[in-house]
Amino acid sequence: MQLINQSEVQRRIDDLKDQDLYIHLEMTTGAYAAHFDSSKHPAATFITNAIIRFSHGSISGSGPYRVGLKMEHGWVYSEGLTHYEETEPERLIMAGHDSQGKLIVSLQLSRQPF
């Protein structure tokens, strides 16, 4: 993964609009590593292989970035994104890592299930 190139990610978001897509959206505050530090409140959110269709999508911010996807009846919103996978042309894979490199948030879109 490399640091987000905002214009490249926006181009890829635009390429995916107005079609059925599989989404993977995940957020954790360190639930995977809570056993190392009991003072951390473990929390996580996870959704995978749900189908969405968005009519407008954008990436904004100056890093970390946020992505909003406007659907017919609501929004998908993800904040804290720092990296994207440049070697996956058919899928848009973005992640947000903290200063220690730990995964905090992940947003992935694909025409095929994950």
Side-chain angles (χ1 to χ4, degrees):
M1 298 191 98
Q2 69 178 23
L3 290 173
I4 283 179
N5 174 325
Q6 189 172 4
S7 60
E8 173 61 16
V9 169
Q10 182 63 56
R11 184 192 65 74
R12 293 177 68 173
I13 290 170
D14 292 342
D15 286 347
L16 293 169
K17 75 177 185 179
D18 295 323
Q19 54 190 294
D20 290 340
L21 300 168
Y22 292 91
I23 185 170
H24 174 89
L25 178 61
E26 180 175 359
M27 190 283 299
T28 179
T29 60
Y32 297 132
H35 59 281
F36 293 121
D37 182 354
S38 62
S39 68
K40 290 191 176 226
H41 178 84
T45 299
F46 180 89
I47 183 172
T48 195
N49 288 330
I51 297 174
I52 68 164
R53 175 184 285 253
F54 64 91
S55 59
H56 176 76
S58 65
I59 181 168
S60 59
S62 56
Y65 297 92
R66 57 189 171 275
V67 169
L69 306 172
K70 184 179 186 307
M71 301 180 300
E72 183 178 5
H73 299 289
W75 284 84
V76 171
Y77 177 81
S78 182
E79 185 163 358
L81 298 163
T82 57
H83 292 78
Y84 81 109
E85 183 56 61
E86 73 280 6
T87 63
E88 292 273 355
E90 298 300 317
R91 303 187 300 179
L92 178 55
I93 299 174
M94 297 171 282
H97 301 275
D98 68 11
S99 60
Q100 298 174 337
K102 294 178 183 172
L103 179 68
I104 302 297
V105 62
S106 175
L107 173 61
Q108 303 174 18
L109 300 168
S110 174
R111 294 176 185 95
Q112 303 296 322
F114 291 98

